Amino acid sequence: MASYAKDPRCIAMAEVLVPLLRRSCHEDAGGFGGSFQVNLDDEEAVGLGGVELIRAAMRKAARQLDWKVETIGWIGTRFGTMVAVRDTREVPEAHRAAVDAAMYERMSAAVATVSAEPGEAPVQRGSATLMTQEFRAAVAEASGTLHPGHTHTADTQENAG
């Protein structure tokens, strides 16, 4: 398996992910119990470097937060490409109630999504839908760093004329 640790795309994506992973932790959890999942179109994931690069970036970002990490990455699921990371550290008693509340919130979001009527499910904090939206926005904002040499169509047209 290739190592992505020094790949500039991995490093840039990890920098984008750090604040998203930090925000996945409940405010009173002391940085414990975070998890983050994105569901991308298979082609979108390939365009970002593939599932293994995204997993490597998630691991790198999580380790910057001192998480003990577990990651998954699957291509071709009914949701497209799923990539997730979670903090598996033992939670100190002082933060247990906050971590449990955050887990309940995430599970409630998942149940609401699964049990919703066909169509758009409400986007809730802790949901993979919201995390995916945040990830896409952060990646788009950092696209010059993630895709060196990439020029936007508008820039190319403007410079051509």
Side-chain angles (χ1 to χ4, degrees):
M1 179 186 297
S3 172
Y4 293 99
K6 295 186 181 180
D7 185 312
R9 297 171 301 167
C10 181
I11 294 166
M13 190 178 293
E15 288 175 13
V16 164
L17 282 163
V18 168
L20 299 176
L21 298 185
R22 184 177 291 120
R23 198 165 49 238
S24 79
C25 300
H26 189 279
E27 346 11 276
D28 299 324
F32 289 89
S35 65
F36 196 79
Q37 174 182 331
V38 296
N39 299 337
L40 305 167
D41 297 328
D42 291 338
E43 299 80 24
E44 181 181 13
V46 168
L48 290 172
V51 70
E52 292 305 322
L53 185 136
I54 298 167
R55 281 180 72 190
M58 284 186 172
R59 275 191 301 274
K60 187 175 192 62
R63 287 181 181 139
Q64 289 179 38
L65 298 173
D66 295 325
W67 289 11
K68 180 178 175 187
V69 297
E70 178 178 79
T71 64
I72 61 163
W74 294 310
I75 302 167
T77 73
R78 71 179 228 195
F79 302 107
T81 297
M82 288 177 45
V83 188
V85 62
R86 74 181 185 105
D87 180 10
T88 61
R89 292 177 296 170
E90 186 68 33
V91 179
E93 192 57 40
H95 301 294
R96 170 64 50 204
V99 170
D100 288 348
M103 185 178 297
Y104 176 79
E105 195 174 283
R106 284 193 295 271
M107 293 304 295
S108 295
V111 168
T113 300
V114 170
S115 61
E117 293 294 319
E120 285 293 313
V123 176
Q124 295 179 302
R125 180 183 169 164
S127 70
T129 302
L130 181 58
M131 290 182 220
T132 301
Q133 289 173 355
E134 292 173 335
F135 174 77
R136 284 179 172 141
V139 166
E141 189 174 306
S143 67
T145 310
L146 293 171
H147 303 288
H150 173 73
T151 56
H152 296 283
T153 307
D155 294 340
T156 305
Q157 290 173 348
E158 195 175 296
N159 293 335

